[in-house]
Amino acid sequence: MGHLQILVVLPVQEVHKQLLEQSAPEARFIYASEQNLSEELLKTIDIVIGNIPIPYLQQAKQLKWIQLSSAGANQYTQKGVLSDKVLLTNATGAYGLAISEYMLSAVLTIFKNFHQYRDQQKQHGWHYAGQVKSIYGCTALILGLGDIGGAFAK
């Protein structure tokens, strides 16, 4: 049996490459962007780290595992996309804090009209942009308390 061929389609820095390669020194890592994928390469791949387009998966006949960089995996779970022998894992839990902080900034942007003031600042103008609100004492309805919703609720 030859070395595992691991295709990494994420943009990684040298430090990340070193960490990956240290974690599996017996494997051969191939770093490529979606534009550099070929049928020849995909035929030899055992593991994919990152999201590749579904049509490419049909060419990866040796594929044993795909680790998605996204939390969502819906398109990869459709019937016929992956063989039953392929392990599918995703990045659930990786984005809760970052996305919930973004959501907080979006709420503040809306409540305080920041987007309008930002646009005025670019044009060197300052005009009343309408009534602003405070989030102090507000109640938010959060549908779904998964990783992102739970972090936002906190």
Side-chain angles (χ1 to χ4, degrees):
M1 181 174 154
H3 295 296
L4 282 176
Q5 300 262 78
I6 302 175
L7 173 63
V8 180
V9 291
L10 302 173
V12 291
Q13 297 173 357
E14 198 58 42
V15 65
H16 302 127
K17 290 178 182 180
Q18 290 174 5
L19 288 169
L20 284 168
E21 292 168 16
Q22 287 171 3
S23 70
E26 72 287 351
R28 177 174 177 247
F29 284 83
I30 302 160
Y31 303 94
S33 66
E34 182 182 324
Q35 294 78 19
N36 296 337
L37 298 179
S38 67
E39 189 171 343
E40 279 303 304
L41 172 63
L42 290 164
K43 285 180 184 178
T44 67
I45 296 304
D46 298 294
I47 298 171
V48 172
I49 300 175
N51 298 30
I52 64 172
I54 301 301
Y56 289 120
L57 291 174
Q58 308 306 319
Q59 300 168 17
K61 302 293 185 198
Q62 289 184 195
L63 189 63
K64 296 171 185 64
W65 177 21
I66 180 169
Q67 169 61 57
L68 300 177
S69 57
S70 62
N74 295 356
Q75 65 182 15
Y76 295 90
T77 61
Q78 301 299 313
K79 186 172 175 65
V81 171
L82 293 174
S83 156
D84 292 342
K85 297 174 184 172
V86 176
L87 175 65
L88 174 65
T89 54
N90 65 359
T92 295
Y95 303 109
L97 180 61
I99 299 299
S100 66
E101 288 177 344
Y102 165 78
M103 291 166 57
L104 180 58
S105 74
V107 168
L108 287 169
T109 295
I110 293 166
F111 273 41
K112 302 294 185 183
N113 298 327
F114 287 156
H115 56 294
Q116 293 177 27
Y117 288 117
R118 178 207 57 220
D119 293 347
Q120 288 183 31
Q121 183 181 27
K122 286 181 182 178
Q123 298 171 8
H124 306 286
W126 296 101
H127 310 288
Y128 178 68
Q131 186 69 36
V132 299
K133 301 177 200 168
S134 174
I135 62 170
Y136 180 79
C138 286
T139 301
L141 171 63
I142 301 166
L143 301 176
L145 289 177
D147 180 50
I148 295 170
F152 185 64
K154 288 177 185 174

